[in-house]
Amino acid sequence: MKQPSNDDFRHILHIVIFFLLTFGTGFLPPVGITAMGMNILGVFLGMLYGWTFIGFAWPSMICLVALGFTGYADPGKIIGSAFSNPAVLFTIFVLAFTTYCDKSGINTVMAKWCLSRRIFAGHPWLFTASVLTGTLIIGFLVDGVPAAFLIAGILYSMFRDIDMKQGDNYPAYLLAGVYMAGVLSFACKPWAGQNLMGITALADISGGAAVIDNLSLIAIAMPVSIATLLLYTLIVRFVFRPDISHLASLTPEYLDSMSAQIRVGRKQGIAAAALVIFLIVMFLPNVLPAGSAAAAFFGKFNMVVAMVVILGVLSFIRVDGEPVFDFHDCSSGINWNVIWMLAASMPVSAALSSDGAGLSRVLSDILQSFVSDGSILLFLIGFMIFINVMTQFTHNVTIVLIAVPIIWNLGQSTGINPVGFSILMLLAAGAAYATPAASTVGALSFANGEWVGMRRAFKAGISGCVAAIFCMLVLGLPLVSAIIGL
């Protein structure tokens, strides 16, 4: 009879701890939050522990069901809402689409084109910084989610072409940086996520006296985000020090030969057209005149609708007697670890932020305690760090809506500019990618066990957050002072 190994004992121990956290936390005395909040907190802690030490699929399943017995909502409704969430639906469709792009050969074409630029010959870190900055810009113009999937798909082809393998450090940290750039692209958009909620909340509470204009937020957030990615590149180069010999050995002659191999056939052309059309449909609502018929029409094409239409059209286009897109064939690229992680994180985060959990009140009290008679600058630094840490575990919209009234009241009592302060707070809340629960795009790094891995995802995420806070203080503060004033 085979004796259990140490790995078996560790696995069993992790499972026991997972169940104790998930179902046992609620029996502890409530500490500042409600009894329901303690049960929800247990589900959240169990989910985070399970993702870190066990896996993604079955801990997510257990936690979704467990959430239904906390008093928050019916289990069936929770599971239904989890898989009807637009981010989850889009991820399912876009993973099938990126698999189609890979099978069509367009990813290989784009990878060879990007990699064969002579400017990158002998400059692997320039290539790294260019990939991350390019992801940020594409994510800003279109959306961070498809940008991250698109760039990652191209990189997979590139890694295969230069004989980089799963488990190598450089691909892991580059992909983690791509997901990071996707998250930061949202922080640069005044019309996205927590930024829109924060801008609206500040305007409401100030009666229109304190308004964050779009141009000022972009002018501050974009340089800070680019600087964060450049600093992350330096951290990877000088701290993590991955093997880059495959990139460093690319000579101009080799790059020229790679460029000569690029061939775009009919299938690649159709895939490229589909990709361009998707990006255009995502971009048009941002530039069309508000209130116009065209803006209203294209405004109906959110990410899910646009992707479903494109996949539907591709399904009836035929080349050589066969449809160019076969959903059954391309479904092999759907990573269910990613799907289950996203599906579980959405309702658990919403429950944790609900009024019935009481966590919002506790966070508000903690933030209020930061206000003191000490140095405003030290308070601002501590406040930003606290906001960033909390967004790694709590929905950033919740944090933003709690922080805005505190910032406004502080501005009234100390004379500090609530507009500039709020922009820095929004930046701190937007740089959330240090844990699997921090953000939708950032979670992809932790779910990508084949190329990134949990350990390297944590190292990359924490390093990226440190880089973000540093850049906010060193670059963001002077920019806010120069553009808006503090």
Side-chain angles (χ1 to χ4, degrees):
M1 180 178 178
K2 182 181 177 182
Q3 295 297 316
S5 66
N6 289 334
D7 288 341
D8 293 331
F9 282 121
R10 278 194 295 267
H11 183 65
I12 293 172
L13 179 61
H14 288 318
I15 291 175
V16 170
I17 295 174
F18 164 76
F19 279 102
L20 285 175
L21 287 171
T22 304
F23 296 101
T25 304
F27 291 101
L28 298 175
V31 182
I33 62 177
T34 65
M36 185 182 80
M38 287 296 293
N39 285 316
I40 295 172
L41 180 62
V43 173
F44 171 76
L45 294 176
M47 184 175 70
L48 195 61
Y49 187 89
W51 287 349
T52 304
F53 297 104
I54 301 173
F56 296 100
W58 75 258
S60 297
M61 298 176 190
I62 297 297
C63 287
L64 276 177
V65 174
L67 184 62
F69 291 91
T70 62
Y72 171 68
D74 179 76
K77 290 183 178 179
I78 290 173
I79 295 174
S81 67
F83 281 90
S84 63
N85 186 284
V88 176
L89 291 174
F90 175 75
T91 301
I92 292 174
F93 295 132
V94 80
L95 285 173
F97 179 68
T98 52
T99 303
Y100 155 71
C101 289
D102 189 53
K103 289 178 177 292
S104 72
I106 190 60
N107 280 355
T108 300
V109 169
M110 291 189 292
K112 286 182 180 293
W113 188 91
C114 294
L115 190 60
S116 63
R117 299 307 91 192
R118 297 195 72 176
I119 191 175
F120 297 138
H123 300 96
W125 297 109
L126 176 62
F127 169 78
T128 303
S130 299
V131 169
L132 300 185
T133 306
T135 305
L136 174 71
I137 294 172
I138 295 172
F140 173 76
L141 294 175
V142 184
D143 189 271
V145 178
F149 279 114
L150 167 64
I151 300 299
I154 295 172
L155 289 176
Y156 294 144
S157 296
M158 185 204 78
F159 296 150
R160 288 194 297 267
D161 195 66
I162 60 176
D163 199 30
M164 281 189 167
K165 299 178 176 61
Q166 294 180 1
D168 291 348
N169 282 325
Y170 178 78
Y173 290 122
L174 180 58
L175 286 167
V178 165
Y179 300 134
M180 204 177 296
V183 176
L184 289 174
S185 71
F186 289 104
C188 298
K189 297 182 183 184
W191 53 85
Q194 77 280 353
N195 286 350
L196 180 61
M197 297 297 292
I199 292 170
T200 303
L202 182 61
D204 289 344
I205 198 171
S206 67
V211 178
I212 301 174
D213 68 273
N214 292 351
L215 189 59
S216 295
L217 189 144
I218 294 170
I220 294 167
M222 185 61 76
V224 170
S225 296
I226 292 174
T228 298
L229 295 174
L230 296 179
L231 182 55
Y232 170 76
T233 302
L234 293 176
I235 291 172
V236 174
R237 178 179 182 180
F238 294 107
V239 178
F240 300 147
R241 303 178 68 182
D243 178 14
I244 55 167
S245 57
H246 294 279
L247 282 171
S249 62
L250 299 180
T251 63
E253 293 75 21
Y254 177 81
L255 296 181
D256 288 342
S257 67
M258 183 185 296
S259 181
Q261 297 170 13
I262 297 175
R263 298 287 186 275
V264 180
R266 192 177 176 188
K267 289 184 178 180
Q268 292 82 28
I270 293 173
L275 186 58
V276 170
I277 291 171
F278 174 75
L279 296 178
I280 291 174
V281 171
M282 289 292 93
F283 180 66
L284 278 178
N286 297 327
V287 297
L288 291 172
S292 66
F297 175 77
F298 283 103
K300 298 180 184 297
F301 286 86
N302 60 22
M303 294 186 300
V304 176
V305 175
M307 186 54 65
V308 169
V309 169
I310 287 173
L311 294 181
V313 172
L314 289 172
S315 296
F316 72 73
I317 295 176
R318 303 179 76 84
V319 173
D320 299 330
E322 296 182 353
V324 297
F325 174 80
D326 184 296
F327 200 96
H328 178 74
D329 185 40
C330 293
S331 64
S332 60
I334 298 176
N335 187 329
W336 284 100
N337 282 335
V338 174
I339 302 304
W340 275 109
M341 172 182 275
L342 295 179
S345 65
M346 299 294 181
V348 173
S349 295
L352 204 60
S353 306
S354 65
D355 292 337
L359 183 64
S360 298
R361 183 181 64 255
V362 173
L363 292 177
S364 180
D365 292 341
I366 294 174
L367 289 176
Q368 289 284 3
S369 69
F370 271 76
V371 181
S372 64
D373 297 327
S375 168
I376 290 296
L377 179 60
L378 290 177
F379 163 72
L380 177 60
I381 294 172
F383 193 88
M384 289 170 60
I385 293 174
F386 179 79
I387 291 291
N388 183 259
V389 171
M390 291 309 302
T391 54
Q392 311 303 330
F393 306 99
T394 307
H395 200 288
N396 51 21
V397 171
T398 301
I399 295 293
V400 165
L401 294 180
I402 292 172
V404 165
I406 296 173
I407 291 174
W408 170 249
N409 293 330
L410 182 65
Q412 300 308 293
S413 61
T414 65
I416 193 171
N417 187 341
V419 173
F421 197 164
S422 294
I423 289 178
L424 291 172
M425 180 271 298
L426 291 173
L427 275 173
Y433 33 70
T435 70
S439 62
T440 302
V441 185
L444 300 176
S445 181
F446 296 88
N448 192 340
E450 295 83 3
W451 282 99
V452 183
M454 187 64 68
R455 182 180 177 186
R456 286 177 299 203
F458 271 116
K459 290 171 66 177
I462 293 171
S463 300
C465 284
V466 172
I469 293 294
F470 179 83
C471 292
M472 288 174 205
L473 299 176
V474 174
L475 181 59
L477 272 173
L479 283 174
V480 167
S481 181
I483 296 174
I484 298 173
L486 274 176

PDB file of all heavy atoms in Angstrom, residues 3 52 81 102 108 127 129 143 192 232 247 264 269 305 314 322 356 378 382 385 396 412 431 434 444 461 476 485:
ATOM      1  N   GLN A   3       2.265   4.736   0.827  1.00  0.00           N
ATOM      2  CA  GLN A   3       2.183   5.633   1.972  1.00  0.00           C
ATOM      3  C   GLN A   3       1.966   7.070   1.500  1.00  0.00           C
ATOM      4  O   GLN A   3       2.549   7.495   0.502  1.00  0.00           O
ATOM      5  CB  GLN A   3       3.474   5.562   2.798  1.00  0.00           C
ATOM      6  CG  GLN A   3       3.721   4.214   3.437  1.00  0.00           C
ATOM      7  CD  GLN A   3       2.643   3.874   4.444  1.00  0.00           C
ATOM      8  OE1 GLN A   3       2.236   4.709   5.242  1.00  0.00           O
ATOM      9  NE2 GLN A   3       2.175   2.629   4.410  1.00  0.00           N
ATOM     10  N   THR A  52      -4.875  30.446  -3.555  1.00  0.00           N
ATOM     11  CA  THR A  52      -3.428  30.551  -3.374  1.00  0.00           C
ATOM     12  C   THR A  52      -2.774  29.188  -3.198  1.00  0.00           C
ATOM     13  O   THR A  52      -1.692  28.933  -3.750  1.00  0.00           O
ATOM     14  CB  THR A  52      -3.109  31.438  -2.146  1.00  0.00           C
ATOM     15  OG1 THR A  52      -3.742  32.713  -2.314  1.00  0.00           O
ATOM     16  CG2 THR A  52      -1.607  31.646  -2.000  1.00  0.00           C
ATOM     17  N   SER A  81     -26.097  35.056 -11.133  1.00  0.00           N
ATOM     18  CA  SER A  81     -25.519  36.388 -11.341  1.00  0.00           C
ATOM     19  C   SER A  81     -24.026  36.309 -11.642  1.00  0.00           C
ATOM     20  O   SER A  81     -23.495  37.137 -12.382  1.00  0.00           O
ATOM     21  CB  SER A  81     -25.751  37.259 -10.096  1.00  0.00           C
ATOM     22  OG  SER A  81     -25.021  36.762  -8.984  1.00  0.00           O
ATOM     23  N   ASP A 102      -5.203  32.508 -32.926  1.00  0.00           N
ATOM     24  CA  ASP A 102      -3.990  31.696 -32.903  1.00  0.00           C
ATOM     25  C   ASP A 102      -4.044  30.612 -33.991  1.00  0.00           C
ATOM     26  O   ASP A 102      -3.071  30.400 -34.719  1.00  0.00           O
ATOM     27  CB  ASP A 102      -3.829  31.060 -31.521  1.00  0.00           C
ATOM     28  CG  ASP A 102      -2.484  30.370 -31.356  1.00  0.00           C
ATOM     29  OD1 ASP A 102      -1.460  31.015 -31.604  1.00  0.00           O
ATOM     30  OD2 ASP A 102      -2.473  29.184 -30.986  1.00  0.00           O
ATOM     31  N   THR A 108       0.669  34.624 -35.042  1.00  0.00           N
ATOM     32  CA  THR A 108       2.049  34.384 -35.461  1.00  0.00           C
ATOM     33  C   THR A 108       2.551  35.527 -36.344  1.00  0.00           C
ATOM     34  O   THR A 108       3.686  35.983 -36.203  1.00  0.00           O
ATOM     35  CB  THR A 108       2.147  33.055 -36.218  1.00  0.00           C
ATOM     36  OG1 THR A 108       1.721  31.999 -35.355  1.00  0.00           O
ATOM     37  CG2 THR A 108       3.568  32.786 -36.669  1.00  0.00           C
ATOM     38  N   PHE A 127      12.305  46.288 -25.725  1.00  0.00           N
ATOM     39  CA  PHE A 127      11.162  45.512 -26.204  1.00  0.00           C
ATOM     40  C   PHE A 127      10.151  45.315 -25.083  1.00  0.00           C
ATOM     41  O   PHE A 127       8.936  45.498 -25.276  1.00  0.00           O
ATOM     42  CB  PHE A 127      11.636  44.156 -26.734  1.00  0.00           C
ATOM     43  CG  PHE A 127      10.531  43.185 -27.004  1.00  0.00           C
ATOM     44  CD1 PHE A 127       9.757  43.299 -28.147  1.00  0.00           C
ATOM     45  CD2 PHE A 127      10.249  42.156 -26.112  1.00  0.00           C
ATOM     46  CE1 PHE A 127       8.727  42.397 -28.401  1.00  0.00           C
ATOM     47  CE2 PHE A 127       9.224  41.266 -26.352  1.00  0.00           C
ATOM     48  CZ  PHE A 127       8.458  41.389 -27.507  1.00  0.00           C
ATOM     49  N   ALA A 129       9.627  47.105 -22.302  1.00  0.00           N
ATOM     50  CA  ALA A 129       8.951  48.360 -21.975  1.00  0.00           C
ATOM     51  C   ALA A 129       7.958  48.753 -23.062  1.00  0.00           C
ATOM     52  O   ALA A 129       6.867  49.280 -22.764  1.00  0.00           O
ATOM     53  CB  ALA A 129       9.986  49.471 -21.781  1.00  0.00           C
ATOM     54  N   ASP A 143     -10.162  49.058 -24.442  1.00  0.00           N
ATOM     55  CA  ASP A 143     -10.550  48.500 -23.142  1.00  0.00           C
ATOM     56  C   ASP A 143      -9.413  47.624 -22.646  1.00  0.00           C
ATOM     57  O   ASP A 143      -8.761  46.936 -23.445  1.00  0.00           O
ATOM     58  CB  ASP A 143     -11.841  47.690 -23.257  1.00  0.00           C
ATOM     59  CG  ASP A 143     -12.373  47.292 -21.895  1.00  0.00           C
ATOM     60  OD1 ASP A 143     -11.970  46.216 -21.404  1.00  0.00           O
ATOM     61  OD2 ASP A 143     -13.166  48.054 -21.305  1.00  0.00           O
ATOM     62  N   ALA A 192     -14.332  55.479 -16.818  1.00  0.00           N
ATOM     63  CA  ALA A 192     -14.340  54.040 -16.520  1.00  0.00           C
ATOM     64  C   ALA A 192     -14.363  53.782 -15.019  1.00  0.00           C
ATOM     65  O   ALA A 192     -13.702  54.482 -14.244  1.00  0.00           O
ATOM     66  CB  ALA A 192     -13.111  53.365 -17.136  1.00  0.00           C
ATOM     67  N   TYR A 232       8.517  49.020 -13.166  1.00  0.00           N
ATOM     68  CA  TYR A 232       8.318  47.572 -13.052  1.00  0.00           C
ATOM     69  C   TYR A 232       9.307  46.838 -13.954  1.00  0.00           C
ATOM     70  O   TYR A 232       9.876  45.809 -13.564  1.00  0.00           O
ATOM     71  CB  TYR A 232       6.882  47.205 -13.418  1.00  0.00           C
ATOM     72  CG  TYR A 232       6.657  45.709 -13.552  1.00  0.00           C
ATOM     73  CD1 TYR A 232       6.552  44.900 -12.425  1.00  0.00           C
ATOM     74  CD2 TYR A 232       6.572  45.109 -14.810  1.00  0.00           C
ATOM     75  CE1 TYR A 232       6.360  43.526 -12.550  1.00  0.00           C
ATOM     76  CE2 TYR A 232       6.383  43.740 -14.934  1.00  0.00           C
ATOM     77  CZ  TYR A 232       6.276  42.959 -13.799  1.00  0.00           C
ATOM     78  OH  TYR A 232       6.090  41.600 -13.927  1.00  0.00           O
ATOM     79  N   LEU A 247      16.133  36.502 -26.180  1.00  0.00           N
ATOM     80  CA  LEU A 247      15.877  37.818 -26.769  1.00  0.00           C
ATOM     81  C   LEU A 247      17.169  38.557 -27.071  1.00  0.00           C
ATOM     82  O   LEU A 247      17.294  39.210 -28.106  1.00  0.00           O
ATOM     83  CB  LEU A 247      15.020  38.664 -25.819  1.00  0.00           C
ATOM     84  CG  LEU A 247      13.517  38.366 -25.786  1.00  0.00           C
ATOM     85  CD1 LEU A 247      12.870  39.129 -24.655  1.00  0.00           C
ATOM     86  CD2 LEU A 247      12.866  38.743 -27.103  1.00  0.00           C
ATOM     87  N   VAL A 264       0.704  36.835 -45.184  1.00  0.00           N
ATOM     88  CA  VAL A 264      -0.686  37.064 -44.806  1.00  0.00           C
ATOM     89  C   VAL A 264      -1.583  36.474 -45.890  1.00  0.00           C
ATOM     90  O   VAL A 264      -1.670  37.009 -47.003  1.00  0.00           O
ATOM     91  CB  VAL A 264      -0.984  38.561 -44.620  1.00  0.00           C
ATOM     92  CG1 VAL A 264      -2.449  38.759 -44.218  1.00  0.00           C
ATOM     93  CG2 VAL A 264      -0.068  39.156 -43.561  1.00  0.00           C
ATOM     94  N   GLY A 269      -5.993  37.332 -43.145  1.00  0.00           N
ATOM     95  CA  GLY A 269      -6.614  38.620 -43.466  1.00  0.00           C
ATOM     96  C   GLY A 269      -7.983  38.767 -42.836  1.00  0.00           C
ATOM     97  O   GLY A 269      -8.332  39.835 -42.320  1.00  0.00           O
ATOM     98  N   VAL A 305     -21.571  42.172 -26.572  1.00  0.00           N
ATOM     99  CA  VAL A 305     -22.368  42.228 -27.798  1.00  0.00           C
ATOM    100  C   VAL A 305     -21.463  42.256 -29.026  1.00  0.00           C
ATOM    101  O   VAL A 305     -21.692  41.525 -29.998  1.00  0.00           O
ATOM    102  CB  VAL A 305     -23.290  43.465 -27.779  1.00  0.00           C
ATOM    103  CG1 VAL A 305     -24.028  43.601 -29.114  1.00  0.00           C
ATOM    104  CG2 VAL A 305     -24.286  43.370 -26.635  1.00  0.00           C
ATOM    105  N   LEU A 314     -18.162  35.509 -38.234  1.00  0.00           N
ATOM    106  CA  LEU A 314     -17.068  34.614 -38.609  1.00  0.00           C
ATOM    107  C   LEU A 314     -17.545  33.185 -38.810  1.00  0.00           C
ATOM    108  O   LEU A 314     -16.984  32.428 -39.604  1.00  0.00           O
ATOM    109  CB  LEU A 314     -15.975  34.644 -37.536  1.00  0.00           C
ATOM    110  CG  LEU A 314     -15.133  35.921 -37.438  1.00  0.00           C
ATOM    111  CD1 LEU A 314     -14.223  35.859 -36.208  1.00  0.00           C
ATOM    112  CD2 LEU A 314     -14.300  36.128 -38.702  1.00  0.00           C
ATOM    113  N   GLU A 322     -15.215  25.547 -45.573  1.00  0.00           N
ATOM    114  CA  GLU A 322     -15.403  25.391 -44.127  1.00  0.00           C
ATOM    115  C   GLU A 322     -15.536  26.765 -43.477  1.00  0.00           C
ATOM    116  O   GLU A 322     -14.946  27.748 -43.950  1.00  0.00           O
ATOM    117  CB  GLU A 322     -14.213  24.649 -43.511  1.00  0.00           C
ATOM    118  CG  GLU A 322     -14.058  23.211 -44.007  1.00  0.00           C
ATOM    119  CD  GLU A 322     -12.887  22.523 -43.319  1.00  0.00           C
ATOM    120  OE1 GLU A 322     -12.154  23.197 -42.579  1.00  0.00           O
ATOM    121  OE2 GLU A 322     -12.713  21.310 -43.533  1.00  0.00           O
ATOM    122  N   GLY A 356     -25.264  45.430   4.287  1.00  0.00           N
ATOM    123  CA  GLY A 356     -25.564  44.444   5.319  1.00  0.00           C
ATOM    124  C   GLY A 356     -24.337  43.824   5.946  1.00  0.00           C
ATOM    125  O   GLY A 356     -24.390  43.348   7.095  1.00  0.00           O
ATOM    126  N   LEU A 378       2.271  63.791   5.069  1.00  0.00           N
ATOM    127  CA  LEU A 378       2.370  62.439   5.619  1.00  0.00           C
ATOM    128  C   LEU A 378       1.007  61.758   5.632  1.00  0.00           C
ATOM    129  O   LEU A 378       0.893  60.560   5.363  1.00  0.00           O
ATOM    130  CB  LEU A 378       2.952  62.483   7.030  1.00  0.00           C
ATOM    131  CG  LEU A 378       4.434  62.868   7.138  1.00  0.00           C
ATOM    132  CD1 LEU A 378       4.866  62.940   8.597  1.00  0.00           C
ATOM    133  CD2 LEU A 378       5.291  61.855   6.371  1.00  0.00           C
ATOM    134  N   GLY A 382       0.123  58.301   3.690  1.00  0.00           N
ATOM    135  CA  GLY A 382      -0.479  57.180   4.408  1.00  0.00           C
ATOM    136  C   GLY A 382      -1.855  56.831   3.874  1.00  0.00           C
ATOM    137  O   GLY A 382      -2.214  55.646   3.759  1.00  0.00           O
ATOM    138  N   ILE A 385      -1.500  54.913   0.518  1.00  0.00           N
ATOM    139  CA  ILE A 385      -1.044  53.538   0.743  1.00  0.00           C
ATOM    140  C   ILE A 385      -2.186  52.686   1.285  1.00  0.00           C
ATOM    141  O   ILE A 385      -2.397  51.549   0.841  1.00  0.00           O
ATOM    142  CB  ILE A 385       0.161  53.520   1.702  1.00  0.00           C
ATOM    143  CG1 ILE A 385       1.375  54.182   1.040  1.00  0.00           C
ATOM    144  CG2 ILE A 385       0.498  52.090   2.122  1.00  0.00           C
ATOM    145  CD1 ILE A 385       2.561  54.351   1.958  1.00  0.00           C
ATOM    146  N   ASN A 396     -12.872  48.376  -5.520  1.00  0.00           N
ATOM    147  CA  ASN A 396     -12.348  49.736  -5.479  1.00  0.00           C
ATOM    148  C   ASN A 396     -13.444  50.798  -5.526  1.00  0.00           C
ATOM    149  O   ASN A 396     -13.245  51.905  -5.021  1.00  0.00           O
ATOM    150  CB  ASN A 396     -11.325  49.973  -6.600  1.00  0.00           C
ATOM    151  CG  ASN A 396     -11.819  49.570  -7.967  1.00  0.00           C
ATOM    152  OD1 ASN A 396     -13.012  49.473  -8.205  1.00  0.00           O
ATOM    153  ND2 ASN A 396     -10.883  49.338  -8.872  1.00  0.00           N
ATOM    154  N   GLN A 412     -12.356  71.023   3.410  1.00  0.00           N
ATOM    155  CA  GLN A 412     -13.030  72.163   4.032  1.00  0.00           C
ATOM    156  C   GLN A 412     -12.354  72.600   5.329  1.00  0.00           C
ATOM    157  O   GLN A 412     -12.315  73.787   5.665  1.00  0.00           O
ATOM    158  CB  GLN A 412     -14.495  71.797   4.322  1.00  0.00           C
ATOM    159  CG  GLN A 412     -15.315  71.423   3.105  1.00  0.00           C
ATOM    160  CD  GLN A 412     -15.247  72.453   2.005  1.00  0.00           C
ATOM    161  OE1 GLN A 412     -15.730  73.575   2.158  1.00  0.00           O
ATOM    162  NE2 GLN A 412     -14.626  72.101   0.896  1.00  0.00           N
ATOM    163  N   ALA A 431      -4.638  51.106  -9.019  1.00  0.00           N
ATOM    164  CA  ALA A 431      -3.466  50.225  -9.160  1.00  0.00           C
ATOM    165  C   ALA A 431      -3.648  48.985  -8.296  1.00  0.00           C
ATOM    166  O   ALA A 431      -2.931  48.762  -7.321  1.00  0.00           O
ATOM    167  CB  ALA A 431      -2.196  50.980  -8.768  1.00  0.00           C
ATOM    168  N   ALA A 434      -2.294  43.144  -6.832  1.00  0.00           N
ATOM    169  CA  ALA A 434      -1.369  42.396  -5.975  1.00  0.00           C
ATOM    170  C   ALA A 434      -1.951  41.091  -5.455  1.00  0.00           C
ATOM    171  O   ALA A 434      -1.212  40.253  -4.945  1.00  0.00           O
ATOM    172  CB  ALA A 434      -0.918  43.263  -4.795  1.00  0.00           C
ATOM    173  N   LEU A 444      -6.161  37.619 -13.955  1.00  0.00           N
ATOM    174  CA  LEU A 444      -5.697  36.747 -15.036  1.00  0.00           C
ATOM    175  C   LEU A 444      -4.270  36.290 -14.801  1.00  0.00           C
ATOM    176  O   LEU A 444      -3.880  35.195 -15.195  1.00  0.00           O
ATOM    177  CB  LEU A 444      -5.794  37.477 -16.373  1.00  0.00           C
ATOM    178  CG  LEU A 444      -7.193  37.949 -16.785  1.00  0.00           C
ATOM    179  CD1 LEU A 444      -7.117  38.741 -18.080  1.00  0.00           C
ATOM    180  CD2 LEU A 444      -8.132  36.757 -16.941  1.00  0.00           C
ATOM    181  N   GLY A 461       2.838  41.247  -8.825  1.00  0.00           N
ATOM    182  CA  GLY A 461       1.769  42.150  -8.411  1.00  0.00           C
ATOM    183  C   GLY A 461       2.183  43.073  -7.283  1.00  0.00           C
ATOM    184  O   GLY A 461       1.922  44.285  -7.321  1.00  0.00           O
ATOM    185  N   GLY A 476       3.358  61.796  -9.436  1.00  0.00           N
ATOM    186  CA  GLY A 476       1.966  62.206  -9.347  1.00  0.00           C
ATOM    187  C   GLY A 476       1.759  63.458  -8.523  1.00  0.00           C
ATOM    188  O   GLY A 476       1.024  64.373  -8.936  1.00  0.00           O
ATOM    189  N   GLY A 485      -3.049  71.899  -8.294  1.00  0.00           N
ATOM    190  CA  GLY A 485      -2.738  72.519  -7.009  1.00  0.00           C
ATOM    191  C   GLY A 485      -3.227  71.646  -5.867  1.00  0.00           C
ATOM    192  O   GLY A 485      -4.212  70.933  -5.990  1.00  0.00           O
TER     193      GLY A 485
END
